[in-house]
Amino acid sequence: MLLRRVLKPEKGLTCKPGSRIERCMDSVQCPAILIAAPASGQGKTTLTAALARLHTRQGKKVRVFKTGPDFIDPTIHQMASGQPVHQLDLWMVGEVECQRLLYQAACDADLILIEGVMGMFDGTPSSADLAKRFGIPILAVIDAGAMAQTFGALCHGLASYDPDLPMIGFVANRVASHRHGELLRNSLRPETRLLATLPKDPELSLPERHLGLQLAEEQSDLPLKLERWADTLAATELARLPAMVTLSSPVESTDQALPLGLAGVRIAVARDEAFAFVYPANLDLLQQLGASLVYFSPIHDQQLPASDALYFPGGYPELHLEALANNTCMKAAVLQAVQQRPTVAECGGMLYLLETLTLNSGERHELVGAIRGSARMGSKLAGLGSLKAYWPLMAEDERGEDRGELRGHTFHYSSFDQTPEFAGFCRSNLTGRQTEGLIQQERLLASYAHWYFPSNPALAVALFKP
């Protein structure tokens, strides 16, 4: 689907990176690479952010994308590049929309960087699948901190596993010394290129917690780290722009505009330290559908802003539980509003609307109580994976308009200890099995699912329209 009409130019009109023009040719060229790794925790985020900061401070406009569902790494890349970061996922986002996002970025940027997800070939679809589909070469980073000559074997395996996959080279991460770096370089076959090494430096590592890295705004020293990472790459081949990649305008739906189904609708969006997990594409879509967005803090504000609908994204309510529970004025306002207005609550937003939430320590706090049920934090992952749901939620013989499928993902450590009543269930993208329950009360839709609204704009209208 197209969220902004792209006009086709007259013959001979070119689109130069950095020109910020609104009209582009049917295809455009832009330097681009996808940063991958053999596994999670190898240094993809560090390398991607370092490249973004290095080229941004050289005066280039850098657009960064994140493969797969992720809310945390994009905040780091946005700080590094100064540009918004969107998701690319051949299933959740869709191939046509991925193509549109890349094409649109290529019309406006000097460099496109894509951070992969998990290992290079992990997942269905994988980072390798995305790279092959759009012809984007891969730069692989490997944590070499506990290896020497085996580094060469690992590089050879990644480079030769799929002969059709374009590779530009490798980066060794957590290199202990100059001698260590020599051992790594000497282990490579002649056709394999080691483009840079990143030193082992605990002071430059990124802090983590149970859902991954910490958000960029939580790391006061992140700007300094970004500069230090960029300095490390400044004297390497990676300081130069990679080869051009040709990116085409999507043919499907390129001349269609979205109807303004939410024109005049004012949506209040929870956004603060506790509620930060939201896809920029979701907010973009709601505005392109005609809605106006106003933001509020369930932690700091006492009252809700004037609005026609509510949106509670996910986040870290467990880290701010006492503050959320003690803001009784906001809880009362939210309880009243949810009973009267269309509301969507995702994962952490849903936890906030429950009666109680209990921490691992046993500390328990009362929350909004709009949903009859309670949850408890756990030490193990309780839900993970891409999912989808179909509307109507009830059985097929129930009356209701068929509004199709909404896609998203789930990732959480909490679980219900008093389970709410479910109106339906999500299904796993990979297995089709029943996954997260869907809570539907009047105009409230709540679930552990994080939704990607552009996968079904018409349904997004139905969920928020008064």
Side-chain angles (χ1 to χ4, degrees), residues 71-72 75 209-211 213-219 269-278 295-301 312-324 327 330 348-349 352 450:
F71 301 107
I72 300 172
T75 67
R209 60 163 64 102
H210 57 287
L211 293 183
L213 301 174
Q214 290 186 11
L215 295 164
E217 52 268 30
E218 297 177 304
Q219 304 179 50
V269 182
R271 185 164 70 176
D272 58 18
E273 306 95 299
F275 304 99
F277 293 179
V278 61
Y295 299 94
F296 70 98
S297 168
I299 294 178
H300 304 291
D301 295 336
F312 292 91
Y316 288 117
E318 66 272 19
L319 299 182
H320 308 277
L321 187 55
E322 186 175 359
L324 289 168
N327 192 347
M330 177 57 75
Y352 176 61
H450 297 271

Side-chain angles (χ1 to χ4, degrees), residues 42 96 130 146 151 164 229 246 269 274 277 341 369 372 376:
Q42 301 285 296
V96 172
L130 182 73
F151 180 79
D164 296 327
W229 294 338
T246 300
V269 182
F277 293 179
R341 308 173 202 171
R372 292 186 62 84
R376 176 183 296 271

Side-chain angles (χ1 to χ4, degrees), residues 397-461:
D397 60 348
E398 293 282 346
R399 296 180 60 186
E401 183 180 352
D402 182 6
R403 298 185 183 274
E405 174 185 287
L406 188 62
R407 298 181 176 186
H409 84 282
T410 183
F411 181 32
H412 58 94
Y413 277 73
S414 66
S415 58
F416 294 116
D417 52 11
Q418 181 184 341
T419 304
E421 181 180 350
F422 295 140
F425 291 87
C426 301
R427 298 280 175 180
S428 166
N429 166 43
L430 296 178
T431 67
R433 294 177 181 173
Q434 184 173 288
T435 58
E436 306 292 2
L438 294 161
I439 303 161
Q440 195 172 42
Q441 299 175 185
E442 299 296 333
R443 294 302 310 280
L444 164 68
L445 173 70
S447 174
Y448 270 117
H450 297 271
W451 302 114
Y452 189 77
F453 294 150
S455 66
N456 192 331
L459 185 52
V461 171

Side-chain angles (χ1 to χ4, degrees), residues 17 53 64 91 102 104 122 175 183 194 240 264 308 342 353 364 379 383 394 397 402 441 452:
R53 188 66 204 131
V64 187
W91 181 78
L102 286 168
Q104 192 177 61
D122 296 335
V175 178
L183 290 172
L194 181 61
R240 298 193 296 269
D308 305 297
L353 298 185
R364 183 180 185 182
S379 58
M394 303 300 183
D397 60 348
D402 182 6
Q441 299 175 185
Y452 189 77

Side-chain angles (χ1 to χ4, degrees), residues 47-340:
L47 179 58
T48 305
L51 287 168
R53 188 66 204 131
L54 174 63
H55 288 279
T56 297
R57 75 184 191 185
Q58 290 176 353
K60 302 180 182 70
K61 184 172 183 180
V62 181
R63 287 295 312 276
V64 187
F65 293 91
K66 171 64 183 177
T67 307
D70 192 310
F71 301 107
I72 300 172
D73 295 358
T75 67
I76 296 171
H77 300 326
Q78 182 166 337
M79 182 175 288
S81 66
Q83 301 295 325
V85 178
H86 288 72
Q87 277 63 39
L88 295 177
D89 184 288
L90 289 174
W91 181 78
M92 186 180 76
V93 176
E95 183 175 323
V96 172
E97 180 64 0
C98 285
Q99 184 176 357
R100 186 196 71 81
L101 288 167
L102 286 168
Y103 170 77
Q104 192 177 61
C107 287
D108 195 34
D110 299 297
L111 173 65
I112 293 174
L113 300 173
I114 306 170
E115 183 190 346
V117 61
M118 300 183 295
M120 195 159 81
F121 298 100
D122 296 335
T124 306
S126 66
S127 298
D129 292 330
L130 182 73
K132 284 181 66 173
R133 169 59 186 84
F134 297 109
I136 297 172
I138 288 179
L139 173 66
V141 56
I142 298 173
D143 181 355
M147 69 177 73
Q149 287 84 353
T150 303
F151 180 79
L154 188 52
C155 290
H156 175 69
L158 290 174
S160 60
Y161 184 79
D162 184 345
D164 296 327
L165 195 62
M167 296 281 300
I168 65 171
F170 294 85
V171 171
N173 191 22
R174 300 188 180 98
V175 178
S177 64
H178 178 72
R179 174 59 179 158
H180 186 200
E182 285 184 337
L183 290 172
L184 300 175
R185 193 176 299 276
N186 292 337
S187 72
L188 299 174
R189 295 195 173 189
E191 68 275 12
T192 306
R193 302 174 67 204
L194 181 61
L195 300 180
T197 60
L198 297 174
K200 182 179 181 180
D201 188 346
E203 293 185 359
L204 293 182
S205 63
L206 292 169
E208 300 184 28
R209 60 163 64 102
H210 57 287
L211 293 183
L213 301 174
Q214 290 186 11
L215 295 164
E217 52 268 30
E218 297 177 304
Q219 304 179 50
S220 60
D221 59 348
L222 183 57
L224 177 60
K225 289 180 180 179
L226 291 171
E227 297 299 334
R228 293 272 301 277
W229 294 338
D231 290 342
T232 302
L233 298 179
T236 71
E237 294 183 58
L238 295 175
R240 298 193 296 269
L241 288 174
M244 293 283 188
V245 173
T246 300
L247 296 163
S248 301
S249 171
V251 176
E252 182 180 328
S253 302
T254 54
D255 291 319
Q256 295 180 3
L258 288 172
L260 298 179
L262 293 176
V265 177
R266 187 177 171 93
I267 302 174
V269 182
R271 185 164 70 176
D272 58 18
E273 306 95 299
F275 304 99
F277 293 179
V278 61
Y279 294 122
N282 280 6
L283 304 180
D284 291 346
L285 176 69
L286 294 176
Q287 291 176 304
Q288 289 159 13
L289 290 168
S292 59
L293 306 181
V294 291
Y295 299 94
F296 70 98
S297 168
I299 294 178
H300 304 291
D301 295 336
Q302 298 296 304
Q303 294 295 327
L304 285 169
S307 61
D308 305 297
L310 303 172
Y311 181 23
F312 292 91
Y316 288 117
E318 66 272 19
L319 299 182
H320 308 277
L321 187 55
E322 186 175 359
L324 289 168
N326 289 342
N327 192 347
T328 55
C329 291
M330 177 57 75
K331 288 194 301 181
V334 168
L335 177 59
Q336 182 179 12
V338 169
Q339 294 169 345
Q340 299 172 347

